[in-house]
Amino acid sequence: IKTIKFLLLFFSISFLINSCQQIDKFTQFDMEYYAEVTVPATVGVNLPVDLLTPSITSNAEQQFALNDTRKDLIEEIYLKQLDLNITTPSNADFSFLEEITVYINADGLPETEIAAKLPVPIDAGFSLSLDCSQSDIHEYIKKDNFSLKLTTVTDELLTQDHQIQVYAVFFVD
């Protein structure tokens, strides 16, 4: 009888844990954002250059409503994916970068690193995926606006401006 009670308790707890994990999946979703930034033609190399995206409207309230939640119920938000794509010039690639670090900014909050690629591979093409930090940044996304700062170091002379599209996916729990 003790064995049966133990097995029943074990299966009940296992079912409960599995059910909670399944319910968690219904309260998790991704939010996508796009921004553009220009890397200006440079006169020097091996110098850090800060590039700011225009202020990004978070539209978090809308995203939360669409996913049947509210700001006060958010437990965590972290950067899941950050991709950079060169849009102009059309024949350019990321080989001009030695390193890149991305920070998130919002009013009243300290700047926080969220992604980087150190070093950028020499054979980088026109698209570059950065390594994400997994830091909890829910306070930034819950603001009405936030911006991204890209700190870059180039290892070759740029003769033309490079337009880069920033694609970010934030995981919300």
Side-chain angles (χ1 to χ4, degrees):
I1 291 190
K2 284 186 178 184
T3 304
I4 292 174
K5 285 182 182 180
F6 175 75
L7 285 174
L8 217 98
L9 180 64
F10 175 76
F11 286 121
S12 297
I13 290 173
S14 296
F15 177 76
L16 183 63
I17 290 172
N18 191 34
S19 296
C20 289
Q21 290 172 343
Q22 292 299 325
I23 290 171
D24 263 355
K25 289 182 183 179
F26 291 118
T27 63
Q28 299 171 341
F29 57 94
D30 291 338
M31 292 173 43
E32 299 178 342
Y33 291 98
Y34 291 90
E36 295 223 348
V37 67
T38 301
V39 179
T42 58
V43 292
V45 294
N46 293 324
L47 299 172
V49 176
D50 291 339
L51 310 167
L52 295 174
T53 65
S55 183
I56 301 168
T57 303
S58 73
N59 72 349
E61 293 286 345
Q62 286 177 307
Q63 292 289 327
F64 297 158
L66 287 172
N67 288 282
D68 203 24
T69 193
R70 300 183 320 260
K71 273 185 184 183
D72 60 317
L73 297 176
I74 300 301
E75 295 174 12
E76 175 184 41
I77 298 177
Y78 65 85
L79 182 64
K80 179 178 173 180
Q81 176 183 349
L82 194 130
D83 296 329
L84 306 176
N85 294 298
I86 297 176
T87 55
T88 58
S90 60
N91 61 343
D93 61 36
F94 281 105
S95 64
F96 70 91
L97 282 181
E98 185 174 318
E99 58 187 53
I100 184 166
T101 305
V102 179
Y103 302 88
I104 190 167
N105 294 294
D107 285 340
L109 296 171
E111 183 174 271
T112 300
E113 181 180 328
I114 58 171
K117 190 58 112 177
L118 308 168
V120 173
I122 295 170
D123 60 350
F126 71 92
S127 183
L128 184 64
S129 293
L130 277 60
D131 303 318
C132 301
S133 71
Q134 304 296 312
S135 300
D136 182 10
I137 53 173
H138 73 279
E139 292 301 327
Y140 295 82
I141 304 301
K142 289 183 346 183
K143 296 277 190 176
D144 292 333
N145 296 292
F146 65 90
S147 63
L148 301 177
K149 180 178 90 174
L150 287 69
T151 299
T152 63
V153 176
T154 61
D155 60 5
E156 60 186 67
L157 182 64
L158 292 180
T159 57
Q160 321 178 240
D161 289 354
H162 284 53
Q163 194 73 22
I164 298 175
Q165 181 185 57
V166 180
Y167 171 69
V169 179
F170 295 95
F171 173 79
V172 180
D173 184 6

